[in-house]
Amino acid sequence: QVRLAESGGGLAQPGGSLRLTCAASGFVISYYDMAWFRQAPGKERELVARTRKIGSSPDYADFAKGRFTISRDNAENTVILQMNSLKPEDTAQYYCNARSWATQINFWGQGTQVTVSS
């Protein structure tokens, strides 16, 4: 019943933009830390951005600062990752993550592929 579904990935040119959406079902994201991770083949999964409780500032990886923005749309129960000024090294599978405030249990989506190439 708990499900995260990522969408919005695809091919972008260097300097271009993509908007990733994580649609949650079976739970309300207002009571979860929500995050985006990414993983390239043969590499470790790494945090891109995380948003915690309302009123706190989002956390960003150094490579994401100034280029990526994470946001919640609580009315739609979705989490957005707006990616601008894309670089080839941004190429990876991007995953949505939810972590319950109450139990700390984690849920993962299946991922959406982002490829940045000229």
Side-chain angles (χ1 to χ4, degrees):
Q1 291 183 326
V2 174
R3 181 171 178 263
L4 297 172
E6 302 97 334
S7 62
L11 177 65
Q13 296 184 23
S17 298
L18 286 172
R19 181 181 175 91
L20 307 184
T21 299
C22 173
S25 59
F27 70 100
V28 178
I29 66 168
S30 298
Y31 302 104
Y32 285 71
D33 291 342
M34 303 297 298
W36 287 94
F37 289 75
R38 72 184 188 185
Q39 187 172 25
K43 300 182 69 175
E44 294 286 328
R45 186 171 297 187
E46 61 183 345
L47 176 70
V48 178
R50 186 190 302 277
T51 174
R52 293 185 164 90
K53 62 183 178 181
I54 296 173
S56 65
S57 298
D59 298 320
Y60 293 97
D62 286 341
F63 63 78
K65 292 178 180 177
R67 299 192 299 129
F68 297 177
T69 302
I70 188 171
S71 61
R72 299 173 184 255
D73 187 337
N74 288 331
E76 298 293 330
N77 210 37
T78 62
V79 180
I80 306 299
L81 183 68
Q82 178 67 46
M83 303 189 295
N84 300 323
S85 302
L86 285 165
K87 305 174 181 179
E89 52 262 44
D90 295 320
T91 297
Q93 189 84 351
Y94 283 71
Y95 297 91
C96 183
N97 171 265
R99 184 173 63 192
S100 172
W101 296 355
T103 67
Q104 297 298 110
I105 190 170
N106 278 268
F107 300 101
W108 294 90
Q110 293 299 307
T112 184
Q113 179 67 35
V114 170
T115 302
V116 183
S117 176
S118 59

